[in-house]
Amino acid sequence: MQRKINFNAGPARLPLEVLEEAAKAVLEYKDTGMSILELPHRSKEFLDIINESEALVKELCGLSDDYEVLWLQGGGRLQFCMIPMNFLSDRDAAGYIDSGHWSEEALEYAVHYGDVQILESSKETNYDRLPDWPTDIPEQLAYVHITTNNTIFGTQWHNIPGTSSPLIADMSSDIFSRSHDYSKYSLFYAAVQKNLGTPGTALVVVRKDMFKRRARLVPPMLNYGAQAEQHSILNTANVFGVYTSLLMLRWIKAKGINVIERENAQKAKLLYDAIDSSKLFFPHVKVKEHRSLMNVCFTAINPEVEKAFHALCGQHSITGIKGHRSVGGFRASLYNAVSLTDVEFLVRVMKEFEATTKG
Ligand SMILES: Cc1ncc(COP(=O)(O)O)c(C=O)c1O
C-alpha cells in the first residue's frame, strides 16, 4: 500500500510502527489465543494495559499520584458536558476563554448547568489571533476553561499563566506535542484522535481534590469520581482504543518529548516560512506568537488558485489539507506522527506550484 501524505486534523496520521503493532494485536493479543478486539475488559491483560498507560501518562506529564488518569468514552464533546455537570452548580459561575470554535462549543454546553462568563474572546476577528489573557479573572469561579490549541483556526497558547480558580484545559490537538507544565491544571483532557490514538476515547487527567467538588448528583458514567473508583472500566471499556493510545504513549516515550518538540517547531517553521514568503498563499494567523505549531491554516489569493492547488495536492497523494469551512483555504495538521519529510514534500509542491502559477 502506498500511504498518503496525510495532513488531516483528526482522525489523523498515526506512526506506521504503531499501526503494525495494533494490526498484530488484532490477529492475536500476546499469547492469549484471542484478538485484542475479543479481549475481555476485565481480563488481567486489559488491566495491565490500563495500568501501564496510566503510569506512562503520569511519567510523560511529570505528575504525581495526586492525579488520576481516566480513559473515557464520548471523545472531546462528552468532556464539554461532564466538566460543568460535575463542577458547575446552578449557584456558581465558570469562566471560559473563547479562542475558537471548540472553546465556544465547550461553553455552549456549560450554560445548561450554571452561569458562564466569557472572560475574553477573539470571535470578532474570526479567531485569527488569541484573545488577550484576561487580567481580572473574578475570584472564586468554579473553574476557568481554556483550549490550549485551536484546531480549526490555527492558534495556540504558548504561555499559559496560572489562575486562582481551578484551571481546566482542552488539549485535544496539542497534548504531548511539547514539554509543558501540566501541574498548573486541575483537570486536562484530550480527544485522542490527533496525537494519541483512535477516535471515540478521551484521556482525562484530574487532580484528586476535584472529586470533592460535587456540583450535583451525577450518574456514575458521567461522574469523574465513580469512573476513577472503577479504574475506567465502569462499563465495557473501549479496549482497542485504549490499547492504541498505549502504543502511542510508548512511541512518544521512545522518541522523547524534547525531540518531538524540536521536530514540531522545525516542521511548523518550514511551512509558515513558505507561506509568509509566498505571493499566492496567506496565513490565517498573522500574529506570529499566536500561531499553532499543530494546525497551519492558510488561504490562497483567489478561488481558482485554491482549486488548482487542491487538485495538485491530490495528484501528489497529499490528503487532508482542506481548511475548515469557517476559515476556508487550507489547513495542514502537523501532529507528532507527521514527519519533517512530509512537510518538506508539501513545501516543495507549493514552491513548484508557485513557479508555474499566476495569481
Ligand atoms: C480542540 C478540540 N476539542 C474538542 C474536539 C471534539 O472532539 P470529538 O469530536 O471527539 O468530540 C476537537 C475535535 O476536533 C478539537 O479539535
Side-chain angles (χ1 to χ4, degrees), residues 11-236:
R13 191 174 180 93
L14 294 172
L16 188 58
E17 49 274 46
V18 164
L19 294 176
E20 284 168 346
E21 196 67 25
K24 252 197 281 164
V26 167
L27 291 179
E28 185 182 14
Y29 183 66
K30 290 195 162 167
D31 293 322
T32 57
M34 274 186 283
S35 161
I36 185 89
L37 303 178
E38 302 165 324
L39 195 71
H41 60 295
R42 298 198 192 281
S43 61
K44 175 179 178 313
E45 286 80 8
F46 186 58
L47 199 60
D48 288 346
I49 290 172
I50 289 268
N51 286 337
E52 185 186 342
S53 64
E54 286 179 7
L56 270 176
V57 168
K58 283 192 201 161
E59 182 185 334
L60 290 168
C61 296
L63 295 175
S64 69
D65 287 338
D66 292 345
Y67 284 81
E68 198 75 56
V69 176
L70 306 174
W71 298 100
L72 302 183
Q73 294 167 42
R77 282 178 183 81
L78 197 64
Q79 293 313 303
F80 294 170
C81 69
M82 278 180 76
I83 289 161
M85 244 183 174
N86 281 266
F87 305 128
L88 175 60
S89 83
D90 51 14
R91 299 175 307 281
D92 286 325
Y96 278 71
I97 300 179
D98 175 24
S99 54
H101 170 94
W102 296 113
S103 348
E104 193 183 29
E105 196 166 322
L107 75 87
E108 283 166 0
Y109 277 66
V111 295
H112 296 279
Y113 300 97
D115 183 30
V116 168
Q117 299 183 7
I118 301 177
L119 301 175
E120 281 290 352
S121 171
S122 50
K123 188 171 181 162
E124 241 177 44
T125 58
N126 198 26
Y127 302 111
D128 67 346
R129 67 201 70 176
L130 292 169
D132 290 334
W133 187 266
T135 47
D136 50 355
I137 300 180
E139 295 286 318
Q140 296 187 329
L141 290 172
Y143 58 85
V144 173
H145 181 279
I146 63 165
T147 310
T148 51
N149 181 75
N150 299 288
T151 325
I152 291 177
F153 297 94
T155 56
Q156 183 177 24
W157 291 100
H158 296 290
N159 175 27
I160 301 170
T163 48
S164 55
S165 305
L167 184 59
I168 291 185
D170 176 356
M171 298 190 186
S172 295
S173 48
D174 66 351
I175 193 151
F176 300 129
S177 67
R178 55 182 174 179
S179 44
H180 196 69
D181 175 11
Y182 291 91
S183 70
K184 67 174 78 155
Y185 303 97
S186 295
L187 184 151
F188 57 92
Y189 62 99
V192 302
Q193 64 268 23
K194 297 152 198 299
N195 267 337
L196 203 55
T198 55
T201 308
L203 166 68
V204 180
V205 183
V206 51
R207 215 176 47 217
K208 288 176 180 162
D209 60 80
M210 291 298 279
F211 297 140
K212 292 190 217 118
R213 294 172 176 252
R214 280 214 317 175
R216 58 180 55 73
L217 270 180
V218 176
M221 270 302 282
L222 301 170
N223 181 322
Y224 291 114
Q227 287 283 5
E229 266 170 36
Q230 296 295 320
H231 225 43
S232 307
I233 40 180
L234 200 153
N235 74 324
T236 312

